[in-house]
Amino acid sequence: MKIKSDWKKIMSYKWLYAMLIPGVVYYALFKFGPMFGLIAAFKNYQPFLGFFDSEWVGLKYFIRFFMDKSFMKLLGNTLTLSLLNLAFFFPMPILVALLLNEVKCGWFKRTVQSVVYLPHFLSWVVIVGISYTLFTSDGGIITEGLKQLGFGQMNFLTSPRWLKPMVVIQNIWKETGWGTIIFLAALAGVNMEMYEAAKLDGASRLQQAWYITLPAIKTTIITMLILRLGHVMESGFDQLYNMQNAMNRDVADVFDTYVYRMGLVNGQLSYSTAVGLFKSLVGLVLVLTADKISKKVGEEGIL
């Protein structure tokens, strides 16, 4: 009887459920389906033998990776870039959303939103190309300008110490506008009567933002932070692959570029799969841990 009742409810919303089909098919084909290939991390995978007939080697490739002298370098580079992005990039969409929320002129607000969204739609090849145009030591606009101001020759693109700041700045410029969408949507749900009451009590604009706006979007901020922690082991392959050169590779080589180099360039498919699986497991553990901590302190998690 209960099955018939549930089926009747489903049929009453059949068109809404039908709209889920493309998303379900996408995740089944491109997210869950490829997970079967993770078995290659535990085998000496040979394409001509297939997954089932390739030799089982257990944790051989994981042990090899952990014992490799490049492991600590890759871990350090990946974590450093991720933590820098977390510290400097993550707060920027929140700040821009708060600033846009204070703009009362409708057309100006929409114009600014459109302008800051645009870089998101540019590929990393274009972004890095723009960076080369601005910062190349051979006629770059910014480097030439700094030289004229007496700063001397600045090798932004080849100096290891400049790579990390440039990567963070590129991320901020490209993705800050797009990241504001979620926070602006959360701000749209704030009760305007609370602002009116605060004005009557003599609260300044800054006090309103601190005591009303930020608490109202706190749950959204925590949720986005938890999801962001799941990508701590991912530093952005497209960006770093295009930014790498012989002079800065020691600080630009991360897990993503290492997996590409070992798997597709050197043909070590099982080894690169093991590295990728390790990276994903660390991200999963961080997400689950952060979710549990947020619930312990009384906040909403994501699970």
Side-chain angles (χ1 to χ4, degrees):
M1 188 71 179
K2 186 177 183 301
I3 296 177
K4 290 183 178 180
S5 176
D6 291 340
W7 180 251
K8 187 176 181 180
K9 289 180 180 178
I10 292 174
M11 291 306 295
S12 63
Y13 295 104
K14 58 184 177 181
W15 297 116
L16 290 177
Y17 284 107
M19 293 174 66
L20 292 174
I21 294 176
V24 172
V25 172
Y26 169 79
Y27 276 94
L29 291 178
F30 299 105
K31 300 296 182 180
F32 293 103
M35 290 180 69
F36 173 76
L38 293 175
I39 194 175
F42 306 95
K43 291 195 168 194
N44 182 19
Y45 175 66
Q46 302 295 327
F48 294 106
L49 295 177
F51 288 109
F52 297 105
D53 294 329
S54 295
E55 178 189 3
W56 180 270
V57 295
L59 299 176
K60 172 185 174 182
Y61 294 113
F62 292 93
I63 296 172
R64 172 187 163 188
F65 177 55
F66 296 142
M67 298 298 292
D68 195 300
K69 62 181 181 180
S70 62
F71 172 74
M72 292 306 298
K73 181 186 74 172
L74 294 170
L75 182 63
N77 291 342
T78 303
L79 289 179
T80 300
L81 285 169
S82 294
L83 292 176
L84 286 173
N85 279 318
L86 198 62
F88 295 101
F89 166 66
F90 180 77
M92 291 305 294
I94 303 172
L95 178 60
V96 173
L98 291 174
L99 292 173
L100 287 173
N101 189 57
E102 296 297 318
V103 177
K104 303 306 179 185
C105 182
W107 69 267
F108 181 75
K109 182 177 181 179
R110 290 191 296 271
T111 302
V112 173
Q113 283 180 276
S114 300
V115 171
V116 296
Y117 290 166
L118 284 176
H120 169 79
F121 299 99
L122 300 177
S123 70
W124 277 114
V125 175
V126 175
I127 299 296
V128 174
I130 294 172
S131 299
Y132 269 77
T133 303
L134 296 174
F135 295 102
T136 180
S137 57
D138 185 19
I141 298 172
I142 292 179
T143 50
E144 288 297 322
L146 291 173
K147 190 186 298 183
Q148 294 296 325
L149 293 173
F151 287 94
Q153 184 66 47
M154 305 288 286
N155 299 315
F156 292 104
L157 300 176
T158 57
S159 174
R161 71 188 183 94
W162 281 108
L163 176 79
K164 293 182 177 68
M166 290 194 66
V167 167
V168 174
I169 292 171
Q170 287 174 349
N171 275 321
I172 291 174
W173 183 69
K174 186 176 188 294
E175 300 295 347
T176 293
W178 188 254
T180 61
I181 293 176
I182 293 176
F183 297 109
L184 286 173
L187 288 171
V190 180
N191 190 347
M192 299 304 296
E193 293 181 358
M194 298 176 66
Y195 292 106
E196 296 297 332
K199 289 179 182 178
L200 292 175
D201 291 337
S204 65
R205 297 287 286 273
L206 184 60
Q207 289 174 324
Q208 292 175 42
W210 183 259
Y211 293 107
I212 298 175
T213 308
L214 279 177
I217 63 172
K218 182 174 63 173
T219 300
T220 304
I221 294 173
I222 292 173
T223 300
M224 297 304 296
L225 179 60
I226 293 173
L227 294 175
R228 182 72 184 176
L229 288 175
H231 296 279
V232 163
M233 301 299 284
E234 299 177 9
S235 301
F237 167 77
D238 293 344
Q239 180 186 16
L240 288 170
Y241 179 76
N242 285 285
M243 289 292 293
Q244 273 189 12
N245 54 59
M247 303 297 292
N248 63 18
R249 185 165 287 115
D250 280 343
V251 295
D253 202 16
V254 295
F255 286 123
D256 293 324
T257 56
Y258 185 73
V259 168
Y260 168 78
R261 189 168 65 253
M262 300 305 293
L264 295 181
V265 177
N266 295 341
Q268 301 181 37
L269 301 178
S270 293
Y271 179 67
S272 61
T273 303
V275 177
L277 179 57
F278 162 75
K279 181 170 67 73
S280 299
L281 287 175
V282 172
L284 176 63
V285 170
L286 287 173
V287 167
L288 295 177
T289 303
D291 180 73
K292 190 171 184 180
I293 292 173
S294 68
K295 290 179 179 177
K296 287 286 186 181
V297 298
E299 299 295 339
E300 295 184 18
I302 60 173
L303 300 175

